Amino acid sequence: MANAKESGVELDVKLVGGPILVAPAEETDKGLYFLSNLDQNVKFIVDSVYCFKSGSRGNEDAATVIRQSLSKVLVPYYPMAGRLAISSEGKYIVNCTGQGVLFVEAEETNCEIEEIEDLLSKPDPSNLGKLVYTFAGANKNILEMPLLTVQVTKFKCGGFTLGLFNNHGMQDGMCAMEFVNAWGEIARGLDLKNPPFLDRTVLKAREPPLIEFPHNEFYEDIQDISDTTKLYKEEDLICKSFCFDPQKVELLKNKATQDGVLPRCSTFEALSAFVWRARTEALRMKPNQQTKLIFAVNGRSRFVPPIPEAYFGNATMLQHSLCEAGELLKNPLSFAVGLVQKAIDLFTDRYMRSGIDYFEMTRRGWPSLTATLLITTWTRLSLHTTDFGWGQPLCSGPVTLTDRDMVLFLSHGHERKNINVLLCLPASAMGIFEALMMQL
C-alpha cells in the first residue's frame, strides 16, 4: 500500500483537547425521521479531507468559525444531529435527538499544507487518516456513532484542513456537497441558497410493492472459479493512482468508437469499460468466469417527476453489467462500453421504483463483490467550490477506498480536468494492470 515513505510526507498530528459535541444552534424538531430504502443500502462511512491555504487571514479563528457555523447549519439539517435507531419494521431510522455531531481540533507540526495535495492524489489512508477523527466506537455499533465527525487541523504554515467522517446512509455525494457548501455559506455570513428538502418519503416503496425488473445488481452471487479471493489473501495489497489527462481520455474514447459500433461514448463509459477489462485481465480470470461491473447512477432527474435538486438523502442506485471474462477480453473496447451504455439506458423511473420495491420485499441490499468491480465517481462533485471564508480549497478528496473491490474516479490537477483512477490490487495483478496502463 502507498505509504508516507513513497509520498515523502509524514504527518505529525496531535489533538488539542478532547472531542466535543456540537448541537444545533436553535431548538429543532424531535422524533423519528424516515430513511428510504436507498438510504438503507449504504450504511458505511465516507471520510474526506479539504485543505485550505491561510491567505492573509491565517488559521487562528478557523476552528471557531467552522464550529459555530456547523452549529447553525445543523438547524436546517437537523437530522444530522441525531442518532441511528431501528424502526418497528426492522429498518434504520434517525432519532432526531439534537444530540449533535462530534468536533475536534488538532495541530500538524511537520508539514506544509501544500504537501497534502500529493497525499490526496494517491491512496495513503494510514497517513491521511490522521486528519480525520475516528469515533472510538466506529468498529463496534453504528447505532452509537454520531452521524458526522469533524476535525479541524491547523498547520504551522497557517493553512488548515477540514476532515469529515460521514455516514453515507444520511447523504449521497451530491447531497453531501450541498450540505458542506451550505455550511460554508453560513460561515461566510450568507443565507442558504438552497435549503434542504427533508421529506424522504418521496422515495418510499409503493403499496403494494411491484418488482418489474430482475435486479441482479443486488442478488447475483458469482462463483469464484478463478480463485481471485485466494489471490487477495495470499499477496500484499498494492494501492495506486493512475492519471488520465484530457488527451488520454480522448484517446480512450476514440479507441472505443473507432470500429463504428458505437456512435458516441462518454468519459465515464469509456473509462469504466477500460478499467473493468484491464482489472479482469490483471486478475487472470478464467474465460468462463462471470464478472460483474457495478456503478452508481444519480436518479434525481430520472425519477418522474424529478425529485428536488436540494433533496436531502441518497438518490443514487446501483446498476450493473455482467458477462464472462473471456467474452469481455476477446472483444474490442466498444463491446464493454456498449454493456455500460445499455445498463445506464435501463435506468428509468420504473426501474428505480422497482429497485426500491425489491429492497422492501427482500431486504437484500449490498451485493456480493466476488469477481465484481465496484466503480464510484467523484468527478462531478463540487468539492472544489467549498468556501468557509478562506477561499476555495487548495485540494480535497477521500481518505480511503471503502472496499478492496472499489475503484474511485477523482478529478485532479489544473482546472480539475485530469481524472485520477484509484484502486487496490494484489501485487502480481497490479504489475499486470500497470503494464496495461502503459500500453494505452
Side-chain angles (χ1 to χ4, degrees), residues 347-364:
F347 227 74
T348 62
D349 176 78
R350 283 180 58 197
Y351 185 88
M352 291 184 291
R353 297 286 180 184
S354 175
I356 292 171
D357 292 353
Y358 173 83
F359 181 86
E360 187 71 14
M361 296 184 69
T362 66
R363 301 297 174 90
R364 289 198 62 167

Side-chain angles (χ1 to χ4, degrees), residues 214-223 276 280 285 287-295 319-328 335-336 338-344 346 368-373:
H215 290 280
N216 295 340
E217 64 272 23
F218 293 126
Y219 68 81
E220 183 77 17
D221 290 332
I222 298 174
Q223 184 180 0
W276 184 23
T280 299
M285 292 186 185
N288 60 336
Q289 171 72 64
Q290 288 283 316
T291 176
K292 186 193 299 184
L293 172 68
I294 294 180
F295 52 91
Q319 183 52 296
H320 79 290
S321 300
L322 180 70
C323 72
E324 290 188 347
E327 187 178 22
L328 185 68
F335 173 79
L339 293 178
V340 176
Q341 289 182 346
K342 289 176 184 176
I344 294 174
L346 185 63
S368 165
L369 294 179
T370 302
T372 297
L373 173 62

Side-chain angles (χ1 to χ4, degrees), residues 14 81 87 93 105 124 129 134 138 159 168 171 192 234 248 251 258 262 268 271 278 313 316 338 344 374 384 433:
K14 294 180 175 61
S87 72
I93 197 166
E105 293 184 50
D124 191 2
T134 302
H168 199 327
Q171 306 165 321
L192 293 190
E234 293 180 347
K248 189 176 289 187
L251 176 66
Q258 65 184 5
L262 301 175
F268 174 79
L271 199 53
T316 57
I344 294 174
L374 171 63
H384 61 290
F433 190 89

Side-chain angles (χ1 to χ4, degrees), residues 115-135:
E115 295 178 274
I116 303 300
E117 186 168 14
D118 186 53
L119 286 179
L120 281 170
S121 67
K122 305 177 179 67
D124 191 2
S126 62
N127 214 12
L128 278 174
K130 300 172 186 177
L131 301 175
V132 179
Y133 185 79
T134 302
F135 177 60

Side-chain angles (χ1 to χ4, degrees), residues 287-312:
N288 60 336
Q289 171 72 64
Q290 288 283 316
T291 176
K292 186 193 299 184
L293 172 68
I294 294 180
F295 52 91
V297 178
N298 182 6
R300 283 170 170 74
S301 63
R302 295 171 182 262
F303 283 105
V304 180
I307 62 174
E309 289 186 6
Y311 175 78
F312 176 63

Side-chain angles (χ1 to χ4, degrees), residues 3 61 69 129-130 146 162 164-165 167 174 177 197 208 231 264 277 282 333 386 388 394 410 417 426:
N3 54 38
D61 61 343
S69 56
K130 300 172 186 177
L162 174 65
L164 304 180
F165 189 77
N167 188 309
M174 298 293 291
M177 290 313 310
F197 180 85
L231 193 65
R264 57 173 177 80
R277 292 177 84 249
L333 181 60
T386 300
F388 289 88
L394 170 70
L410 182 68
K417 291 185 178 181

Side-chain angles (χ1 to χ4, degrees), residues 139-348:
N139 296 321
K140 297 178 181 179
N141 187 349
I142 195 171
L143 300 180
E144 299 175 1
M145 296 171 57
L147 298 175
L148 174 66
T149 297
V150 178
Q151 177 175 323
V152 175
T153 305
K154 297 178 182 179
F155 282 61
K156 61 182 180 180
C157 61
F160 68 94
T161 60
L162 174 65
L164 304 180
F165 189 77
N166 194 20
N167 188 309
H168 199 327
M170 293 302 294
Q171 306 165 321
D172 62 14
M174 298 293 291
C175 174
M177 290 313 310
E178 287 283 346
F179 171 76
V180 174
N181 286 334
W183 183 2
E185 289 173 2
I186 290 177
R188 303 196 313 274
L190 304 176
D191 295 328
L192 293 190
K193 293 180 182 177
N194 299 303
F197 180 85
L198 295 177
D199 184 9
R200 301 193 187 198
T201 63
V202 296
L203 296 184
K204 194 172 184 179
R206 294 172 290 192
E207 296 182 3
L210 177 61
I211 300 176
E212 299 182 78
F213 300 88
H215 290 280
N216 295 340
E217 64 272 23
F218 293 126
Y219 68 81
E220 183 77 17
D221 290 332
I222 298 174
Q223 184 180 0
D224 183 16
I225 63 174
S226 302
D227 289 332
T228 56
T229 302
K230 181 180 178 182
L231 193 65
Y232 275 96
K233 290 180 179 178
E234 293 180 347
E235 297 189 12
D236 291 337
L237 198 62
I238 306 297
C239 297
K240 291 198 174 184
S241 174
F242 300 89
C243 181
F244 286 76
D245 58 26
Q247 292 75 26
K248 189 176 289 187
V249 169
E250 195 61 29
L251 176 66
L252 197 58
K253 292 168 71 173
N254 290 337
K255 184 179 178 66
T257 56
Q258 65 184 5
D259 57 5
V261 173
L262 301 175
R264 57 173 177 80
C265 177
S266 72
T267 296
F268 174 79
E269 292 161 356
L271 199 53
S272 298
F274 177 76
V275 172
W276 184 23
R277 292 177 84 249
R279 181 178 179 271
T280 299
E281 184 173 346
L283 289 172
R284 301 183 292 278
M285 292 186 185
K286 294 182 179 180
N288 60 336
Q289 171 72 64
Q290 288 283 316
T291 176
K292 186 193 299 184
L293 172 68
I294 294 180
F295 52 91
V297 178
N298 182 6
R300 283 170 170 74
S301 63
R302 295 171 182 262
F303 283 105
V304 180
I307 62 174
E309 289 186 6
Y311 175 78
F312 176 63
N314 287 275
T316 57
M317 285 185 64
L318 297 179
Q319 183 52 296
H320 79 290
S321 300
L322 180 70
C323 72
E324 290 188 347
E327 187 178 22
L328 185 68
L329 297 179
K330 75 179 181 182
N331 283 296
L333 181 60
S334 60
F335 173 79
V337 173
L339 293 178
V340 176
Q341 289 182 346
K342 289 176 184 176
I344 294 174
D345 290 343
L346 185 63
F347 227 74
T348 62

